Amino acid sequence: VENEILKIKTDNPKVAKILHNLFYDVMNIEFNLWPWLRNLTKYGDHYLYLEILDKVGVVNVKPLSAYEVYRLEDHDPTQPKLVQFEIKEETTSTIGRSNQQNELFENYEIAHFRLMSDANFLPYGKSMLEGARKVWKQLQLMEDAMLIHRIMRAPEKRIFKMDVGNIPPNEVDNFMQQIINKMKKTPVIDQKTGDYNLRYNIESVTEDYFLPVRGGDSGTEIESLPGLDNNGQIEDIEYLRNKLMAALKIPKAFLGYEEGVGSKATLAAEDVRFARTIERLQKIIVAELEKIAIVHLYTLGFED
């Protein structure tokens, strides 16, 4: 059948029919494979609990949280090749105490999809996002810093140089305050009480600078301090973004940054390396789906 997400290759038409029913009707992979794959790439592991009925096969699959499942290997000295899965579920009792309930499952009851790209993470997989986590955090911080800087430095300010002439030094502060109040504070009548209110500021006092000057030819003078010149200097952010893209191994064009597309016709032809990454994921998924198929067929009585 064309356009099917999964092709079943076998010489035995009966097996093909059974497996088609398993994958498309019981497991509904057309719909479910997408979230399973997303979980796999996000956490590096994805677990499915297989509900198996004797002589019927796999009747249902249930996704499990990657946080609660533990893969046990080499835990039984008598059976060195034994693989089991332990599910630790936190349940809160009526008195608010949390109880850990552990259940043990055999290897054939759990399908464990895992990205085994790093031996340090064994027996678990490594997330596709692991390499990009640090850079992503740096990019977030850098973007926030840029925004804060742009907003804080945007307003144009003025410097008022007030000639204080021969006013005694201890009076200068009062004199300056009077001038600031005259220039900055707008008298507002309070609607409720009818009082005169001088505290209302249309623009904050901190926005302008008032400097007392005296002596020489220093008259009263007003200068303008220009705001931040927004010439779109975001090289540092672009550097971090490029680093993030490199860590994610996704071509820029796939994420909407068009500068990545060359003269090639399609995005599919955009990056052969990306295709290899995808192929690796496909192989992992297919290998585990094959395990589910074998469990299903074995339960139905197929021996070889």
Side-chain angles (χ1 to χ4, degrees):
V1 185
E2 278 307 303
N3 295 331
E4 284 197 335
I5 196 167
L6 187 77
K7 291 186 172 64
I8 297 158
K9 289 180 183 170
T10 170
D11 303 332
N12 186 337
K14 190 180 173 193
V15 168
K17 194 176 167 203
I18 289 170
L19 291 185
H20 191 279
N21 172 58
L22 167 71
F23 289 127
Y24 286 91
D25 302 333
V26 177
M27 291 170 64
N28 188 11
I29 59 165
E30 288 278 358
F31 180 78
N32 287 324
L33 204 59
W34 205 104
W36 294 347
L37 183 58
R38 182 188 177 276
N39 259 11
L40 172 66
T41 47
K42 179 178 172 182
Y43 297 110
D45 293 281
H46 182 62
Y47 303 93
L48 288 179
Y49 169 62
L50 312 178
E51 286 182 22
I52 305 165
L53 281 185
D54 200 25
K55 304 284 186 287
V56 184
V58 178
V59 291
N60 188 24
V61 291
K62 209 163 80 183
L64 301 169
S65 162
Y67 292 108
E68 289 175 352
V69 185
Y70 294 82
R71 185 185 174 105
L72 307 176
E73 294 179 2
D74 302 325
H75 58 294
D76 188 344
T78 58
Q79 297 165 280
K81 283 195 173 177
L82 180 69
V83 174
Q84 287 176 311
F85 293 91
E86 190 174 19
I87 297 181
K88 296 188 178 174
E89 284 185 40
E90 290 265 346
T91 54
T92 312
S93 64
T94 44
I95 53 169
R97 215 179 266 153
S98 70
N99 304 324
Q100 268 208 345
Q101 293 184 327
N102 296 359
E103 280 185 273
L104 216 63
F105 293 95
E106 296 305 322
N107 194 9
Y108 61 84
E109 291 181 285
I110 304 271
H112 181 193
F113 300 84
R114 52 182 176 162
L115 300 176
M116 300 207 306
S117 55
D118 191 338
N120 292 322
F121 287 79
L122 287 176
Y124 303 102
K126 179 186 176 184
S127 164
M128 300 287 284
L129 307 175
E130 186 64 42
R133 274 169 51 180
K134 184 181 171 194
V135 184
W136 178 79
K137 195 73 211 159
Q138 289 171 333
L139 182 64
Q140 296 290 98
L141 292 169
M142 190 64 110
E143 283 174 352
D144 290 351
M146 175 191 76
L147 277 176
I148 291 166
H149 180 67
R150 297 259 159 117
I151 292 163
M152 297 296 290
R153 297 273 173 240
E156 188 180 85
K157 295 181 178 158
R158 283 172 192 80
I159 302 174
F160 293 79
K161 292 182 178 171
M162 311 313 260
D163 186 22
V164 291
N166 51 6
I167 296 171
N170 55 344
E171 292 290 320
V172 169
D173 272 0
N174 288 338
F175 172 71
M176 292 300 289
Q177 203 55 53
Q178 268 178 318
I179 286 178
I180 292 172
N181 287 348
K182 244 183 217 157
M183 297 180 76
K184 304 284 289 184
K185 291 195 175 176
T186 319
V188 170
I189 293 172
D190 194 319
Q191 296 285 334
K192 290 180 186 151
T193 58
D195 289 346
Y196 224 40
N197 182 3
L198 275 174
R199 281 173 311 178
Y200 181 73
N201 265 4
I202 282 186
E203 47 183 333
S204 132
V205 179
T206 54
E207 221 135 274
D208 296 324
Y209 300 105
F210 290 82
L211 304 175
V213 290
R214 73 159 51 141
D217 52 352
S218 59
T220 299
E221 190 190 331
I222 301 174
E223 284 178 20
S224 259
L225 275 182
L228 181 73
D229 187 19
N230 259 347
N231 276 341
Q233 295 157 337
I234 54 166
E235 287 93 354
D236 39 9
I237 290 200
E238 278 169 2
Y239 162 76
L240 281 173
R241 200 183 67 200
N242 291 340
K243 228 171 125 178
L244 182 77
M245 298 290 181
L248 287 175
K249 299 186 182 66
I250 299 177
K252 277 185 179 174
F254 279 78
L255 297 177
Y257 300 103
E258 289 305 318
E259 74 248 33
V261 186
S263 56
K264 290 175 185 146
T266 58
L267 279 182
E270 168 64 22
D271 200 332
V272 182
R273 279 181 320 162
F274 189 55
R276 287 199 196 111
T277 310
I278 298 295
E279 208 170 305
R280 212 174 79 225
L281 291 173
Q282 286 174 342
K283 280 178 179 152
I284 289 165
I285 291 274
V286 167
E288 210 54 36
L289 290 177
E290 198 177 315
K291 171 183 161 177
I292 298 174
I294 290 168
V295 169
H296 185 68
L297 292 171
Y298 182 82
T299 322
L300 286 171
F302 287 84
E303 285 298 319
D304 50 343

